[in-house]
Amino acid sequence: MSKGNRFSWLALIAVGAPLLIALLSSSPAENEFNGTHAAAFVPAPPATRPRTIAQGPASLPSLGPGASLHGKRLFPPDNPWNQDISNSPLDPNSANLIKSIGADDRLHPDFGTVWNGAPNGIPYIVVPGTQPLAPVSFRSYGGESDPGPYPVPRDAPIEGGPNGTGDRHVLVIDRDHWKLYELFSASPVKGSASWVAGSGAVFDLNSSKLRPEGWTSADAAGLPIFPGLVRYDEVFEQREIRHALRFTVGRSRKAYVYPARHFASGDPDPNLPPMGMRVRLKSSFDISSYSAANQVILRALKKYGMFVADNGPGWFLSGAPDPRWSNDDLGMLKNIKGFNFEVVRMGSVVTR
């Protein structure tokens, strides 16, 4: 072997050996989250909980559309959104309530990459405390809306895209004052210098204060929307969702339960779900065959459940869009059906 060839082989070994060691030593769960695959001859171990990255105090959230909150938790630890309901009693009318939503209907992840040419899901943007305020005027529910101005950037993402015809939610998180601003049916005016919306709500993320009794928000139930979204940063950075999620039902009752504050129906049928009703994935449901990413979502549905937040297609689970989602993988959640859920016992039902 010539001197030049010998040096080439030595260089190849020096560069390739660490890479080979890294590939062989990385766990299947890490490979799945990082988008790589272990060598075919390495046997796959039984499915386990993906590694949770050790966290000290939560970092300051990043800025921009779909930005990571880096583990910073919304609301105080004892807030209903952060409540572990995995061992809470079952509602005595659970079976009838689940049947009314659709016991044989499938869970549908209402988020992903792109749908009909627009980001699929409810988008959000994180802004600094210095974000200029924009005037906001309200149409449908002005009397139940928190008055503007709101720190809505000119380029704030709108649900369904700029030309969307759906709910057109706009969600803004002020990371420095730790406040959440949400708009429903929002449209920019005068080159986005101001906004018009159907309703709007402001939430102090350091407080558990609810909306006034009987008031809506940017959501039918009078709840905040953002805390109930499945977010990419939690699934792939934190590898843990530490709060309840949000879903819609086809028919709801003329009633609401804590922590909801508003109903959106004229039907008093007690077998229909009131706004704010909470369901959880049954503890007996086996999640081991699902991807590590989907297991993060399913563990949250067992531990924190999800709130009825609006009328819409039944069992539609809300999330934020991100181009890095795998639509095919999220689609596996559709194998879960309504009868795999149960209703957590409700408190006093408000019907007025």
Side-chain angles (χ1 to χ4, degrees), residues 139 158-169 184-187 310:
R139 298 186 298 261
I158 301 171
E159 181 185 10
N163 301 316
T165 58
D167 286 347
R168 295 182 61 87
H169 287 114
F184 162 71
S185 190
S187 295
D310 200 354

Side-chain angles (χ1 to χ4, degrees), residues 85-96:
I85 47 79
S86 56
N87 294 313
S88 296
L90 188 69
D91 193 90
N93 199 32
S94 177
N96 289 327

Side-chain angles (χ1 to χ4, degrees), residues 67-84:
S68 173
L69 268 59
H70 299 303
K72 186 167 183 178
R73 200 168 195 179
L74 308 173
F75 301 122
D78 61 351
N79 185 276
W81 285 96
N82 302 326
Q83 179 186 4
D84 180 349

Side-chain angles (χ1 to χ4, degrees), residues 140-206:
S140 306
Y141 297 95
E144 297 178 20
S145 295
D146 293 319
Y150 287 19
V152 185
R154 290 177 178 266
D155 60 348
I158 301 171
E159 181 185 10
N163 301 316
T165 58
D167 286 347
R168 295 182 61 87
H169 287 114
V170 171
L171 313 183
V172 180
I173 300 93
D174 178 340
R175 74 169 187 187
D176 298 320
H177 297 109
W178 206 224
K179 287 188 175 183
L180 170 64
Y181 297 80
E182 300 189 335
L183 298 174
F184 162 71
S185 190
S187 295
V189 180
K190 299 178 181 178
S192 300
S194 62
W195 293 75
V196 294
S199 61
V202 181
F203 296 91
D204 183 347
L205 297 176
N206 289 309

